[in-house]
Amino acid sequence: MTRENRILLINALSALLVGVIFLFAFSSLISNQEKQIKLSYYQEFFATANKFESVSVNQTSLTEKVKIMKDNTVLGYLYVGSGTSTQIPGHGGSEDELRLHVFVKANREIAKIVVDYYEHTSTYVEGSLKPDLVRLQGSVIENYLSVDLVGGASAYSMPIVHNILSAISRDLTGSNPIVPNPVDPYAEIFGEYASKTEDDTFVPTDKVTKKEIIKDASDNILGYAYTLSSVRNTGSNIDHHEDENWGLTLLVGVDTTNNIEGIYTLASDHTASFYGLHSTYFTALEGVAVSNYESVDTVSGASFSRGHILELLEALQGVLA
C-alpha cells in the first residue's frame, strides 16, 4: 500500500470514528432530552421526582408501568392502560379505543387519571367520563369501587376504566378491587328500621307493583314503601338511542300521612349523566305530600327521564288518592 493510500485510509477511518462518536453523542443527547420531557410530565403529579424507570407488568389491559422515584424512594407509579369498545351507538361497529394514564402513589392512592387518547363519543368523555375520573382521585386503588360515580359513560367507556383499575389493583395487591357491601335502599329512606313486610291487602297496578310496611324495633309503623316501575319508548327523543324501551324502577317511601320520606332508584336504563341531575329533585320532594308533588320544580336538561319519573309519581298519587 502506498503512503498516499495509507493516509487516505487513516483519514477515512478517522472520519468514520468521528461520525460514530457524533452519532452516539447525538443519540445520547436525544435520549436525555426524551427522559427529561418524561420526568417533567411525571413531576406534574410527583413534584419531587428526580428519576424513573420502566418495570415489567403482566396484566391484561396494561401496556406500561413506570416506577417514579426521588433518589431511591419510590413515590408512585404510572400505569398506561387501554381497551376498545365495538358497541358505541352511531359508530358503525368500529373498534373504538380508550387509553388512560393512571398515576398511583406509593400508598396505592390514585393521584390522577389522565385520558391520553380516545375514539369514544367526545360529549360523553368530556361531560361524563372525565368528571368521574376526577371523583376517583384520592381513593385507594383496591377500594375505588366504593366511590359514587355519575357514570354517564358507563355503558361503553367505564367498563374499560374498570378493567384498567382492576388490573392495577391486581398488580399492586395481588387481588381484585374490594366490592363494597350493597346499599340497603330501605335504610337509605327510613334510617334505622327493624322490619319490612309486604302488604298482602294491597292491589298492584300496572305501575305501582308492591307496597311494604316498614316498622321499627318496637313494632311501630314508620311508613310504607311503594315499588313503582314502568317502561317508556325513547321514540326519536334521544340521539343514538332511537326506538329503545327504557325501564325505570323507583322505591318511594312515605310516612303514615303519605308525605314522601325519600326516593331510591332501584333500576334505570336512562343515561346516568342526565338521570343523575334528578338527585336534587328527589331531595326536594322529601317531606312533601304525594298529593302535592307537582308543587316542587323539576330540573331542566333531562326531559325524557323527568317525564318517566313524573309518570311513576302520578301513578302513586292515583293509588293514594
Side-chain angles (χ1 to χ4, degrees), residues 21-51:
I21 293 172
F22 174 79
L23 288 175
F24 179 80
F26 182 74
S27 176
S28 177
L29 176 64
I30 295 298
S31 177
N32 286 336
Q33 288 178 339
E34 290 177 347
K35 287 181 179 179
Q36 188 57 48
I37 290 171
K38 288 183 177 180
L39 181 60
S40 296
Y41 176 46
Y42 303 152
Q43 287 171 337
E44 293 180 25
F45 313 103
F46 300 100
T48 59
N50 57 18
K51 58 191 285 191

Side-chain angles (χ1 to χ4, degrees), residues 184-198:
D184 182 351
Y186 299 90
E188 290 289 300
I189 294 173
F190 292 98
E192 293 187 10
Y193 74 99
S195 66
K196 55 183 178 68
T197 306
E198 187 166 351

